[in-house]
């Protein structure tokens, strides 16, 4: 159908090759971020990256290489699973990190949560009978 | 416990059928029909509290939003890569409180998800009673950056309201923009 | 060309895995280690995806999804455990 199927093939191959290399670089970037950033919270920003953009690029290159329409919904479902789970785990780890003081205060230019947390902690101490952790949505 | 109407459950059922087809890698009608039967059975047996959808979904607004989202993910990924290589241990962060317009759980969750997926910002804590997100931003050095981050989050929420917010939220948003 | 791509991605992923393992070994806190383990799983998933793309099959796809779910469940569980232990030390 196409006048020059070989050219189209070559373009698709080149695009998927670029996607693969960039996707692998995203993993490398996450590792560099893990090693270079000073505290848990900034490391988390680096860690979410290969799981969102990197996986997207790699799944797209799989789809381009297979060249059949029915793999696209499968790949999309795999990616959406990732999109739904990554923020939740990042939030849970980040929240635990903030509460257990795994963050360097001197690296923050502004902290608008601290006052709220301290107020809530004081309130929790005053009403000892109750479970102190329930002040926010879980 | 109130059963959700079919209209409310339909997105869930469609999603379950798509997952079924994807898992078998077979989108033939008989397989999808069997998947639909299973989806109805699963939705009846393992009953979860219904997600309160607004019943409105604007596809015309959703497609550009998805494209902009992908673009921002790419840009922010490159930015975080650059920060990791160039600044490394000297990076400055902030925890910023962002009050949201909407009070529906769905909106707060969706906004938090989108914001967390974009590298460089992360939801640390959610205050459900006031629907305030506490966001940890990477490389936020001064008050200007704080304002920028807050505006970004509010813009994301505005985009989501335009896609699937309730009519009341949309009206409030339009009034705010118009004023 | 695929050979070159394979070499490049293999080098990048190997370096990334090494970095994640160093962070697992060194990480000052448990949460750092969990985070690095999560990244290591993501790198594994990336390697499986590249295998699928180069050899043109889909056998690993469910494995990739399973890996992402394992990473999710693992980090959420550990995060809850850490937060609760520090917050309410007297809880049985």
């Amino acid at each position: 159908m196409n006048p020059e199927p070989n050219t189209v093939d070559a373009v698709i191959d080149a695009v998927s090759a670029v996607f693969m290399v960039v996707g692998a670089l995203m993993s490398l970037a996450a590792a560099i971020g893990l090693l270079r950033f000073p505290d848990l919270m900034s490391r988390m920003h680096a860690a979410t990256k290969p799981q969102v953009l990197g996986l997207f690029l790699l799944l797209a290159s799989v789809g381009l290489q297979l060249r059949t329409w029915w793999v696209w919904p499968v790949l999309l479902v795999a990616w959406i699973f990732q999109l739904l789970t990554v923020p939740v785990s990042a939030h849970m780890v980040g929240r635990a990190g903030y509460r257990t003081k795994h963050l360097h205060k001197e690296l923050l230019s502004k902290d608008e949560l601290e006052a709220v947390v301290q107020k809530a902690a004081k309130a929790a101490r005053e009403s000892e009978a109750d479970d102190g952790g329930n002040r926010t949505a879980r | 416990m109130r059963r959700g109407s079919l209209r409310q459950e339909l997105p869930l059922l469609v999603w379950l059928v798509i997952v079924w087809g994807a898992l078998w890698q077979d989108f033939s009608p008989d397989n999808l029909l069997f998947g639909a039967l299973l989806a109805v059975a699963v939705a009846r047996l393992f009953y979860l509290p219904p997600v309160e959808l607004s019943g409105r979904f604007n596809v015309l607004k959703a497609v550009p939003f998805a494209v902009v989202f992908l673009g921002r993910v790419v840009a922010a990924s490159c930015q975080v890569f650059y920060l990791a290589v160039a600044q490394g241990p000297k990076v400055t962060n902030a925890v910023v409180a962002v009050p949201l317009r909407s009070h529906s759980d769905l909106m707060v969750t969706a906004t938090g998800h989108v914001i967390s997926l974009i590298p460089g910002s992360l939801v640390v804590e959610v205050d459900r009673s006031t629907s305030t997100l506490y966001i940890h931003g990477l490389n936020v050095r001064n008050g200007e950056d704080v304002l920028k981050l807050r505006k970004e989050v509010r813009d994301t929420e505005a985009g989501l309201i335009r896609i699937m917010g309730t009519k009341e939220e949309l009206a409030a948003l339009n009034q705010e923009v118009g004023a | 060309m695929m050979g070159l791509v394979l070499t490049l991605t293999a080098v990048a992923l190997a370096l990334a895995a090494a970095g994640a393992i160093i962070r697992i070994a060194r990480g000052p806190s448990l949460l750092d280690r969990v985070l690095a383990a999560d990244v290591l799983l993501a790198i594994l998933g990336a390697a499986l995806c590249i295998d699928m793309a180069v050899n043109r099959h889909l056998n690993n796809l469910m494995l990739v999804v399973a890996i992402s779910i394992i990473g999710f469940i693992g980090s959420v569980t550990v995060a809850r455990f850490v937060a609760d232990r520090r917050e309410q030390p007297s809880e049985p």
Side-chain angles (χ1 to χ4, degrees):
Chain A
M1 210 157 70
N2 260 314
E4 286 169 274
N6 287 333
T7 341
V8 178
D9 260 15
V11 169
I12 292 178
D13 267 359
V15 170
S16 66
V18 169
F19 276 12
M20 274 192 267
V21 172
V22 175
L25 278 182
M26 281 298 134
S27 297
L28 187 59
I32 294 174
L34 276 183
L35 289 178
R36 295 261 300 161
F37 280 138
D39 65 342
L40 176 72
M41 303 299 275
S42 34
R43 278 179 210 140
M44 296 196 46
H45 293 294
T48 50
K49 206 165 28 154
Q51 306 182 346
V52 182
L53 183 59
L55 195 75
F56 172 76
L57 292 173
L58 291 174
L59 290 177
S61 69
V62 172
L64 289 175
Q65 285 288 321
L66 282 164
R67 295 187 180 83
T68 33
W69 69 269
W70 54 262
V71 298
W72 286 100
V74 187
L75 298 173
L76 195 66
V77 166
W79 192 53
I80 288 177
F81 261 122
Q82 196 78 17
L83 288 193
L84 290 177
T85 54
V86 163
V88 179
S89 64
H91 166 67
M92 292 300 287
V93 173
R95 214 180 63 150
Y98 189 93
R99 291 192 175 185
T100 51
K101 309 282 178 277
H102 275 127
L103 108 161
H104 298 193
K105 294 276 181 208
E106 71 274 10
L107 290 171
L108 291 176
S109 62
K110 197 173 177 115
D111 189 353
E112 291 173 341
L113 180 54
E114 193 184 11
V116 182
V117 168
Q118 276 175 359
K119 213 169 99 191
K122 209 172 130 205
R125 268 198 300 277
E126 276 159 14
S127 61
E128 201 75 296
D130 237 31
D131 173 15
N134 275 342
R135 66 186 180 276
T136 45
R138 287 222 150 168
Chain B
M1 210 196 275
R2 183 177 56 91
R3 275 246 190 282
S5 66
L6 188 67
R7 188 181 158 76
Q8 262 188 331
E9 272 188 4
L10 200 61
L12 174 68
L13 295 181
V14 169
W15 166 246
L16 285 174
V17 172
I18 291 174
V19 170
W20 176 259
L23 285 173
W24 284 105
Q25 297 168 14
D26 175 11
F27 287 90
S28 58
D30 46 345
N31 191 38
L32 287 187
L33 189 68
F34 188 56
L37 284 177
L38 273 183
V40 171
V42 165
R44 284 278 174 268
L45 285 178
F46 304 102
Y47 187 70
L48 290 171
V51 178
E52 279 167 33
L53 298 176
S54 61
R56 210 176 64 82
F57 192 86
N58 192 334
V59 181
L60 286 179
K61 291 261 163 55
V63 173
F65 185 82
V67 172
V68 168
F69 167 70
L70 263 183
R72 276 172 66 191
V73 168
V74 172
S77 290
C78 296
Q79 198 203 352
V80 174
F81 195 178
Y82 168 76
L83 280 175
V85 174
Q87 290 215 324
K90 295 188 295 291
V91 73
T92 325
N93 310 314
V95 178
V96 182
V98 185
L100 296 181
R101 302 177 181 88
S102 169
H103 281 260
S104 77
D105 288 345
L106 178 69
M107 267 316 159
V108 175
T109 314
T111 312
H113 256 79
V114 172
I115 285 302
S116 295
L117 283 171
I118 296 171
S121 48
L122 181 96
V123 177
V124 182
E125 192 76 74
V126 185
D127 190 344
R128 200 171 157 207
S129 58
T130 57
S131 78
T132 306
L133 296 179
Y134 294 92
I135 289 169
H136 183 271
L138 192 66
N139 195 29
V140 178
R141 283 154 302 182
N142 45 37
E144 208 176 298
D145 289 345
V146 170
L147 288 180
K148 217 167 74 187
L149 179 66
R150 195 170 290 155
K151 186 174 175 302
E152 215 174 282
V153 177
R154 305 258 305 172
D155 286 352
T156 307
E157 196 211 2
L160 283 169
I161 286 179
R162 287 200 185 96
I163 294 172
M164 54 181 191
T166 58
K167 287 200 178 64
E168 293 81 47
E169 284 166 356
L170 191 67
L173 179 67
N174 284 336
Q175 205 172 24
E176 188 188 306
V177 172
Chain C
M1 191 173 69
M2 275 302 148
L4 178 67
V5 169
L6 208 54
T7 317
L8 278 177
T9 50
V11 169
L13 289 180
L15 285 176
I21 290 171
I22 291 173
R23 182 48 75 190
I24 291 179
R26 243 190 9 202
S29 72
L30 183 63
L31 287 171
D32 282 298
R33 295 197 169 99
V34 169
L35 193 66
D38 210 13
V39 171
L40 192 60
L41 277 179
I43 292 168
L44 211 63
L48 289 172
C49 282
I50 286 171
D51 175 49
M52 280 193 290
V54 171
N55 296 324
R56 300 194 179 177
H57 61 83
L58 271 180
N59 304 345
N60 299 338
L61 192 64
M62 286 309 121
L63 204 53
V64 173
V65 175
I67 280 180
S68 75
I69 290 176
I70 290 170
F72 165 70
I73 293 174
S75 47
V76 167
T77 315
V78 174
R80 275 231 71 132
F81 175 65
V82 169
D84 281 348
R85 194 181 52 180
R86 292 285 188 99
E87 220 170 46
Q88 296 140 5
S90 59
E91 201 177 55

